[in-house]
Amino acid sequence: MSTLSIEALSWAVNDGRNDARLLLQDINLHVGEGEFVGLIGPNGSGKTSLLRCAYRSSEPASGSLHLDGQNLWRQTPRWSAQRIAVVLQEFPQEFGLRVNDVVAMGRTPHKGLFDGMNAEDTELVVHALRQVGLSSMGDHFFANLSGGEKQRVLLARALVQQPGLLILDEPTNHLDPCYQLELLRHLRSLGLSTLASFHDLNLAAAFCDRLYVVSAGRLVASGTPAELLTTELLESVFGVQALVDQHPLHAYPRITWITQA
């Protein structure tokens, strides 16, 4: 398990006129060992951009990111890939690969240029597919799977990387309710340090230890779901009124959005 510390991070995009436009400003965020931390906020608020900085896809304009005390952007991509696994919303081009092949790609950061799969690697692939409920589908073509099945294959690929930090961008986006709950329960059971963005605030409330709220490129609040998810904050950030009460079976908050008749 790893720790991630982000301090005073800003990220800018060039609009083509030599003017750098800041899309993230003064971000401070921490993921402790074994913590499940969620990012919430409106569409376009900067959640995905922040995740891209955290897994070395977008280099910050300023600030620092440290993984286990090491400056992430001073390490090699291979060093990062051995420690950080990422599951994105978009599905990769699979080029005719079968499920076993896609999952086995997670071993790449740990292999030499000419190294092939060994018995340990194969067992990791088998175990990961069992963990995500796809043991019987190793020989299926990735392209023929449903969106939810593809999402679970990519999670299996992340698991065989044996990462210390797992980064997820809308991990339940392609899943029906049964698999949403199953996936998040499984992720919690792994005990991995996890940073994930969420669209569904009730899922974030149920599964996250702590939440960070992103709005217009800034972190505007942080805390536990019970501390953070109030009617005032939800209306301020999302522009919608909501009722917030306690889930009838558990201690976490439950959100009911109020729609106008």
Side-chain angles (χ1 to χ4, degrees), residues 82-126:
Q82 290 173 343
R83 293 160 176 83
I84 302 174
V86 183
V87 179
L88 304 178
Q89 295 185 55
E90 303 85 9
F91 297 131
Q93 296 293 326
E94 82 299 321
F95 300 110
L97 295 178
R98 298 180 188 271
V99 166
N100 280 331
D101 301 319
V102 173
V103 177
M105 291 170 65
R107 298 303 301 155
T108 302
H110 302 280
K111 312 295 287 186
L113 183 61
F114 300 107
D115 291 342
M117 290 280 287
N118 58 33
E120 181 182 358
D121 298 325
T122 300
E123 179 55 33
L124 286 170
V125 170
V126 170

Side-chain angles (χ1 to χ4, degrees), residues 1 5 16 40-41 67 72-73 85 112 126 151 171 178 222 226 244 249 257:
M1 294 181 290
S5 295
I40 62 173
L67 184 70
L72 188 59
W73 281 90
V126 170
Q151 192 80 340
C178 174
S222 65
V244 180
L249 302 179
W257 300 106

Side-chain angles (χ1 to χ4, degrees), residues 25 78 82 117 135 140 189 224:
Q25 300 181 58
R78 179 182 174 87
Q82 290 173 343
M117 290 280 287
S135 294
H140 291 224
S189 72
T224 67

